[in-house]
Amino acid sequence: MSTRFHECNCHAQCRECNWLQQGVDAKYEQAILNKYGETQLLKLKWMKGQVKKWSRFELEQMIKEYTGKVNQLVKP
């Protein structure tokens, strides 16, 4: 849960990779390394081991933030 909503850990995968091959961890890790660098990869690995309980307030703030970002993308 600690990395579920982290922008550097949110990428599309095909059904086969995500579901049938459980995310193809080694390839996904390499893609994170290539795109964001070693520091971000290590941060995500550290966060993965942390316990995170999202508060209602945090979730509502994320909803507002990402709704705004989506609206910016779809503006004509």
Side-chain angles (χ1 to χ4, degrees):
M1 286 299 291
S2 61
T3 61
R4 175 165 291 187
F5 302 116
H6 195 287
E7 287 187 25
C8 293
N9 195 41
C10 183
H11 301 90
Q13 285 186 315
C14 69
R15 179 180 180 265
E16 183 176 329
C17 290
N18 191 38
W19 188 64
L20 298 175
Q21 297 182 33
Q22 277 82 47
V24 196
D25 290 342
K27 285 183 181 179
Y28 189 74
E29 185 175 306
Q30 186 62 48
I32 296 290
L33 181 63
N34 292 342
K35 187 169 185 173
Y36 301 110
E38 185 177 13
T39 302
Q40 189 62 48
L41 176 62
L42 293 173
K43 180 180 177 182
L44 287 169
K45 283 184 167 188
W46 177 82
M47 288 174 67
K48 178 180 152 183
Q50 304 303 305
V51 175
K52 175 64 176 168
K53 174 126 172 82
W54 297 97
S55 70
R56 182 179 182 97
F57 177 78
E58 288 174 306
L59 294 171
E60 287 173 349
Q61 291 303 308
M62 280 193 280
I63 289 168
K64 287 179 187 176
E65 177 184 350
Y66 289 110
T67 298
K69 287 183 177 188
V70 168
N71 289 338
Q72 289 295 318
L73 290 172
V74 296
K75 272 189 176 177

